[in-house]
Amino acid sequence: RMCPLGWLAVASLCLGTLWAVPAKDRRRVEKPKADLTLYENLDLDNYDLTLDNYGDILDLSNYEELYDYGDLVPKIEVGTLAPRPKHPKTPPELAGTTAGTPKPQPPSAAVPPAPIPGQALPCCLLCLCLGSSVYCDDAELERLPALPPGTAFLYARFNRIGAVRASDFSGLEKLQRIDLSSNSISWVEADAFRLLPSLQELLLPENRLEALPELPRSLLRLDASRNRIPSAGLRPEAFRELKQLQFLHLSDNQLDFIPVPLPESLRSLHLQNNQIRTMHEDTFCDSQEQGQIRRALEDIRLDGNPINLSLFPNAFFCLPRLPTGRF
């Protein structure tokens, strides 16, 4: 028979043995039971994480306690925020999904309008327009474009223009100078230049003209050298009414006589390299007025012609200088 003290010693030994088992082993034994209970409550076949059951799975009430952001939160001082733009732009992702909202287009003035088929391009798209001057040099033009109404000076040299029409200069009352040098002009409408009241200079050298059109009375200078103009291509007394004409250059053509009468205002007459063989004694001076002096006409060129000027000694008495040519 064991005394009470003996039973107490046996009980203490059993409890000591139990507590001698490591806590790590105790958790290893208990954990599978808890996990098994959790997985048994889950319906893995119908498991779908949505906004409705998200709160049932995760406890968001203590979410801030799980993470300590600490210094990651930026410090914002009052008065350091950038001002809001006055005209906020639509975000690209919203602009693309907005129905019926067209995308902004560049200004129409930045892109020249497309030409209408069969219609000529505006002059200032083909040429250089500077104030009242239009420069169409070396632009490969086959005809003159529609000129701006205020054009006073036209330069259309070194092109392939073959004809000139009256409609090319319609409404250009301010036009003073036309330079069509070095083209392929073979035909000019009769009234192309005559109806230009302000025209003073008409330059047509190095073309294929076989006749001169009617000219305006305001003309001061005419240059039609290096063409194919015969004497038959000049109207009778073509220059009589040109009371202001000062320079008449018809060199390198096919003229066989000097065009008369010449206006008293004439200062320079170039007829070199033609087919002129003879002349009248009254071509330059009036034989009935022996005291006549024609001071303005100082430059006469007849060189390169078959004419012998020494055969007409009385034809030059009123001139300040003798003509250039063969004597």
Side-chain angles (χ1 to χ4, degrees):
R1 185 175 181 177
M2 186 176 299
C3 63
L5 293 176
W7 286 107
L8 181 60
V10 173
S12 299
L13 181 62
C14 293
L15 290 174
T17 304
L18 177 62
W19 286 106
V21 178
K24 183 177 180 180
D25 295 339
R26 290 201 304 268
R27 289 195 301 268
R28 187 178 300 170
V29 175
E30 296 172 355
K31 185 175 181 180
K33 296 181 179 180
D35 293 344
L36 181 60
T37 304
L38 176 64
Y39 289 128
E40 288 176 354
N41 295 330
L42 291 178
D43 185 6
L44 297 179
D45 295 334
N46 298 318
Y47 184 75
D48 187 10
L49 184 61
T50 63
L51 293 178
D52 297 333
N53 59 16
Y54 191 81
D56 299 337
I57 298 174
L58 297 178
D59 184 8
L60 300 180
S61 59
N62 297 323
Y63 185 73
E64 295 180 355
E65 299 178 0
L66 299 178
Y67 297 95
D68 184 11
Y69 289 96
D71 296 334
L72 295 180
V73 179
K75 298 180 180 180
I76 301 176
E77 297 180 2
V78 177
T80 61
L81 293 178
R84 296 181 60 187
K86 296 182 179 180
H87 303 285
K89 297 181 180 180
T90 304
E93 62 272 9
L94 296 180
T97 58
T98 304
T101 304
K103 295 183 179 180
Q105 299 296 328
S108 57
V111 181
I116 301 175
Q119 182 179 2
L121 288 173
C123 176
C124 294
L125 290 180
L126 298 172
C127 309
L128 176 63
C129 300
L130 294 176
S132 60
S133 300
V134 178
Y135 297 88
C136 298
D137 294 341
D138 200 13
E140 299 184 359
L141 298 178
E142 295 184 358
R143 64 166 299 169
L144 288 171
L147 300 172
T151 303
F153 306 94
L154 170 64
Y155 301 88
R157 300 165 292 191
F158 312 106
N159 286 287
R160 297 179 295 188
I161 300 173
V164 178
R165 301 166 178 82
S167 59
D168 294 335
F169 307 108
S170 178
L172 300 178
E173 291 82 4
K174 299 180 180 180
L175 194 56
Q176 301 178 26
R177 180 185 177 101
I178 298 176
D179 192 345
L180 298 174
S181 307
S182 302
N183 278 278
S184 303
I185 301 173
S186 59
W187 177 79
V188 178
E189 192 172 354
D191 292 337
F193 306 116
R194 185 178 65 85
L195 301 179
L196 299 175
S198 302
L199 187 62
Q200 297 181 356
E201 296 184 72
L202 178 58
L203 308 179
L204 300 168
E206 297 187 29
N207 279 283
R208 301 175 183 176
L209 289 173
E210 297 182 359
L212 280 181
E214 297 186 40
L215 302 170
R217 296 185 179 185
S218 59
L219 204 61
L220 300 178
R221 180 182 179 186
L222 173 64
D223 187 350
S225 56
R226 295 183 294 281
N227 278 275
R228 304 173 182 178
I229 303 173
S231 293
L234 301 179
R235 294 182 304 103
E237 302 184 352
F239 307 108
R240 175 187 288 275
E241 301 300 327
L242 305 183
K243 302 297 184 180
Q244 303 182 53
L245 187 63
Q246 299 181 20
F247 302 90
L248 177 58
H249 295 174
L250 297 173
S251 60
D252 296 276
N253 277 284
Q254 301 176 12
L255 302 178
D256 52 15
F257 65 82
I258 299 173
V260 291
L262 296 171
E264 293 291 330
S265 59
L266 199 62
R267 298 173 54 187
S268 176
L269 176 64
H270 287 186
L271 297 173
Q272 69 268 30
N273 302 323
N274 277 282
Q275 303 298 324
I276 300 174
R277 298 177 177 274
T278 187
M279 62 180 296
H280 298 287
E281 290 188 352
D282 294 339
T283 297
F284 301 113
C285 305
D286 187 355
S287 60
Q288 304 298 323
E289 297 184 12
Q290 294 299 321
Q292 179 188 11
I293 299 179
R294 197 169 184 175
R295 301 185 183 276
L297 189 54
E298 296 183 349
D299 180 23
I300 300 176
R301 292 194 58 179
L302 290 170
D303 50 303
N305 285 279
I307 188 175
N308 186 348
L309 298 178
S310 61
L311 300 177
F312 311 93
N314 298 325
F316 317 119
F317 71 88
C318 69
L319 300 178
R321 295 179 184 175
L322 289 176
T324 301
R326 183 169 64 92
F327 287 89

